[in-house]
Amino acid sequence: MTKVSTEMVGNSLPSKLFYRFCRFLCLVILRTWNRMRVEGRGNLPTSGPYIVAPVHRSNLDTPIAGVAVTSRMRYLAKDSLWKNGALGWLVSSLGGFPVARGTADREALKRCIEVLEAGEPLVMFPEGARQAGTELTPLFDGAAYVATKTGAPIVPIGIGGSERIMPKGSKFIHPRKVHVVIGRPIPVPQAEGRFNRAAVKDMTEQLRVELQRAFDEAQRKAG
């Protein structure tokens, strides 16, 4: 699937309705089975694109973030998924967009910038792959880099309990509590002139502090 056709599928009315339907199903399951609660929705920007930066402890973190944030979100997925037309439509409908596996990180970041410039919220896990434990692992600079390139704020999201309800290797969702804390948006610092690498590092550090704070609160309330 080409970039243009993928974007057309992802932004079509049927795909948007399908996303809403899937989000509703996840909402029902997470609220009834996992007693999921969300606090801080008032911190979400009401207009313009933004970057959602959740902690990553479970495969369920993406649907959990999708339920916590009311707007449809976009996220990276390997381009091989689009080799199957039906599967490609499904991933696009759920907010995914393709990135070539094995390409340089800058290509993925370029696609992220394009999505934000189109005015859509974007999910970026700043820890990268799934991690374990109560403390954040060192964050990548990707979210801060994309934020400084687009002017989109970063919204830290702490998710407490996801590692317990579906730990790595598990095929089942355990009936334990999930609590989500949406932190305040981190604005892009005002800078003049060319790209400032120091500003990216500073923003990543600010994200680390705010994300750990949200994660601590979410874990405490998840019990």
Side-chain angles (χ1 to χ4, degrees):
M1 235 180 177
T2 66
K3 171 185 168 183
V4 174
S5 61
T6 298
E7 293 302 318
M8 289 176 64
V9 169
N11 290 317
S12 67
L13 180 59
S15 69
K16 289 180 179 180
L17 292 175
F18 182 69
Y19 179 91
R20 290 295 175 187
F21 173 72
C22 291
R23 181 183 180 277
F24 174 75
L25 288 181
C26 290
L27 175 64
V28 171
I29 293 170
L30 288 167
R31 281 191 174 176
T32 56
W33 190 245
N34 301 111
R35 296 170 289 153
M36 177 177 165
R37 293 294 180 268
V38 180
E39 65 175 275
R41 277 204 177 103
N43 290 326
L44 293 170
T46 56
S47 62
Y50 54 91
I51 300 168
V52 173
V55 297
H56 201 6
R57 295 294 180 275
S58 169
N59 281 333
L60 288 179
D61 291 332
T62 297
I64 288 172
V67 168
V69 178
T70 55
S71 300
R72 190 182 75 146
M73 299 185 298
R74 308 299 303 275
Y75 57 90
L76 290 164
K78 59 184 180 181
D79 60 353
S80 59
L81 296 175
W82 276 264
K83 291 181 179 179
N84 180 306
L87 180 59
W89 184 90
L90 174 64
V91 178
S92 292
S93 298
L94 295 177
F97 60 92
V99 62
R101 171 182 272 182
T103 57
D105 287 345
R106 60 177 176 271
E107 182 64 26
L109 295 176
K110 180 180 177 182
R111 292 303 310 277
C112 291
I113 290 171
E114 290 171 351
V115 166
L116 290 167
E117 288 179 341
E120 299 182 275
L122 171 70
V123 179
M124 295 186 75
F125 289 102
E127 293 178 284
R130 280 178 297 163
Q131 305 296 331
T134 60
E135 298 293 323
L136 296 178
T137 59
L139 305 188
F140 291 97
D141 289 329
Y145 173 83
V146 171
T148 57
K149 284 289 187 179
T150 61
I154 304 177
V155 180
I157 295 187
I159 302 174
S162 66
E163 189 173 9
R164 293 182 303 172
I165 67 173
M166 195 174 186
K168 190 173 183 178
S170 175
K171 297 181 179 179
F172 303 100
I173 301 175
H174 301 288
R176 296 178 179 175
K177 187 177 180 180
V178 172
H179 195 91
V180 178
V181 174
I182 301 175
R184 293 181 179 179
I186 300 172
V188 177
Q190 296 297 318
E192 297 180 359
R194 300 180 63 185
F195 168 70
N196 189 333
R197 186 177 299 275
V200 172
K201 292 294 184 182
D202 289 344
M203 195 172 188
T204 298
E205 175 57 21
Q206 186 178 1
L207 173 59
R208 185 194 66 78
V209 172
E210 296 301 325
L211 186 55
Q212 185 67 63
R213 180 179 292 122
F215 189 26
D216 290 343
E217 183 71 5
Q219 292 177 94
R220 184 180 68 81
K221 294 187 175 179

